[in-house]
Amino acid sequence: MGAIDLAEMAAGLPEAWSSRRLGLVGAACVKVLRMDELPVEEEIHGAAEALLVLDGRLELEAGGMSVSVRAGELFMVEAGIAHAVRPGSRGTLVIVELPEE
Protein backbone atom coordinates (compact mmCIF):
# COMPACT_ATOMS: atom_id res chain seq x y z
CA MET A 1 0.00 0.00 0.00
CA GLY A 2 1.26 3.46 -0.84
CA ALA A 3 0.86 6.82 0.85
CA ILE A 4 -2.66 8.03 1.57
CA ASP A 5 -3.65 11.66 1.01
CA LEU A 6 -5.81 12.11 4.13
CA ALA A 7 -7.23 15.51 3.16
CA GLU A 8 -8.24 14.21 -0.28
CA MET A 9 -9.72 11.06 1.28
CA ALA A 10 -11.80 13.12 3.76
CA ALA A 11 -12.93 15.59 1.07
CA GLY A 12 -14.20 12.68 -1.04
CA LEU A 13 -16.45 11.25 1.66
CA PRO A 14 -20.17 11.47 0.85
CA GLU A 15 -21.05 13.35 4.04
CA ALA A 16 -19.43 14.88 7.08
CA TRP A 17 -18.94 12.72 10.18
CA SER A 18 -19.05 9.62 7.97
CA SER A 19 -15.65 8.05 8.56
CA ARG A 20 -13.60 5.88 6.23
CA ARG A 21 -11.55 3.07 7.69
CA LEU A 22 -7.99 3.26 6.42
CA GLY A 23 -6.66 0.13 8.06
CA LEU A 24 -5.58 -1.56 11.26
CA VAL A 25 -2.50 -1.08 13.41
CA GLY A 26 -2.54 -4.14 15.62
CA ALA A 27 -6.09 -4.24 16.91
CA ALA A 28 -6.60 -0.47 16.52
CA CYS A 29 -8.64 0.93 13.64
CA VAL A 30 -7.40 4.10 11.89
CA LYS A 31 -10.16 6.25 10.35
CA VAL A 32 -10.42 9.63 8.67
CA LEU A 33 -13.43 11.95 8.47
CA ARG A 34 -14.49 15.45 7.57
CA MET A 35 -15.99 17.75 10.22
CA ASP A 36 -18.68 20.26 9.21
CA GLU A 37 -19.41 22.78 12.02
CA LEU A 38 -22.37 20.71 13.35
CA PRO A 39 -22.41 19.07 16.79
CA VAL A 40 -22.31 15.30 17.33
CA GLU A 41 -24.12 13.58 20.20
CA GLU A 42 -22.31 12.41 23.31
CA GLU A 43 -20.76 8.95 23.25
CA ILE A 44 -18.76 6.72 25.57
CA HIS A 45 -16.32 4.00 24.52
CA GLY A 46 -14.96 1.04 26.45
CA ALA A 47 -11.42 1.81 25.27
CA ALA A 48 -9.40 5.00 24.86
CA GLU A 49 -9.36 6.74 21.49
CA ALA A 50 -6.95 9.19 19.87
CA LEU A 51 -8.29 12.22 17.96
CA LEU A 52 -5.75 13.90 15.65
CA VAL A 53 -6.78 17.14 13.93
CA LEU A 54 -5.01 17.49 10.58
CA ASP A 55 -6.55 20.82 9.64
CA GLY A 56 -9.25 23.03 11.12
CA ARG A 57 -10.31 22.63 14.74
CA LEU A 58 -12.21 20.12 16.88
CA GLU A 59 -14.47 21.64 19.54
CA LEU A 60 -15.01 18.94 22.13
CA GLU A 61 -16.77 18.46 25.45
CA ALA A 62 -14.95 15.69 27.32
CA GLY A 63 -15.48 14.69 30.92
CA GLY A 64 -17.41 17.91 31.58
CA MET A 65 -14.63 20.14 30.19
CA SER A 66 -14.62 22.19 26.99
CA VAL A 67 -11.57 21.55 24.82
CA SER A 68 -10.41 23.08 21.53
CA VAL A 69 -8.05 20.83 19.59
CA ARG A 70 -6.18 22.70 16.85
CA ALA A 71 -4.54 21.50 13.64
CA GLY A 72 -1.54 19.36 14.42
CA GLU A 73 -2.77 18.52 17.93
CA LEU A 74 -3.75 15.14 19.34
CA PHE A 75 -6.37 14.65 22.05
CA MET A 76 -6.65 11.38 23.95
CA VAL A 77 -10.10 10.44 25.26
CA GLU A 78 -9.78 7.98 28.12
CA ALA A 79 -11.94 4.87 28.22
CA GLY A 80 -15.33 5.46 29.81
CA ILE A 81 -15.23 9.27 29.46
CA ALA A 82 -18.35 10.85 27.95
CA HIS A 83 -17.46 13.14 25.04
CA ALA A 84 -19.39 15.11 22.43
CA VAL A 85 -18.47 17.36 19.51
CA ARG A 86 -19.57 20.95 19.99
CA PRO A 87 -20.73 23.23 17.17
CA GLY A 88 -17.92 24.89 15.21
CA SER A 89 -15.74 21.84 14.58
CA ARG A 90 -14.38 21.84 11.04
CA GLY A 91 -11.59 20.30 9.00
CA THR A 92 -10.07 16.82 8.81
CA LEU A 93 -9.91 14.42 11.75
CA VAL A 94 -8.07 11.11 12.14
CA ILE A 95 -9.40 8.71 14.79
CA VAL A 96 -7.49 5.75 16.18
CA GLU A 97 -9.67 3.43 18.23
CA LEU A 98 -10.33 -0.17 19.10
CA PRO A 99 -13.39 -1.56 17.31
CA GLU A 100 -16.48 -1.81 19.52
CA GLU A 101 -17.53 -5.39 20.10
Side-chain angles (χ1 to χ4, degrees):
M1 174 182 230
I4 298 170
D5 184 328
L6 296 171
E8 182 179 303
M9 183 77 64
L13 291 170
E15 58 188 48
W17 299 108
S18 173
S19 63
R20 168 124 187 231
R21 182 176 149 177
L22 302 173
L24 295 173
V25 178
C29 182
V30 180
K31 303 186 296 187
V32 66
L33 61 82
R34 178 172 35 88
M35 302 179 282
D36 72 347
E37 305 276 346
L38 297 177
V40 176
E41 291 183 17
E42 181 178 276
E43 55 187 19
I44 300 173
H45 303 288
E49 72 177 342
L51 306 173
L52 172 62
V53 178
L54 296 181
D55 60 75
R57 179 168 43 231
L58 172 63
E59 299 295 340
L60 197 62
E61 185 80 20
M65 296 175 46
S66 295
V67 180
S68 290
V69 186
R70 298 174 303 193
E73 294 182 334
L74 174 74
F75 187 81
M76 298 294 297
V77 179
E78 295 178 27
I81 297 295
H83 56 288
V85 176
R86 298 186 328 229
S89 298
R90 67 193 181 293
T92 307
L93 180 67
V94 172
I95 301 173
V96 180
E97 64 184 3
L98 291 176
E100 296 285 332
E101 295 186 12

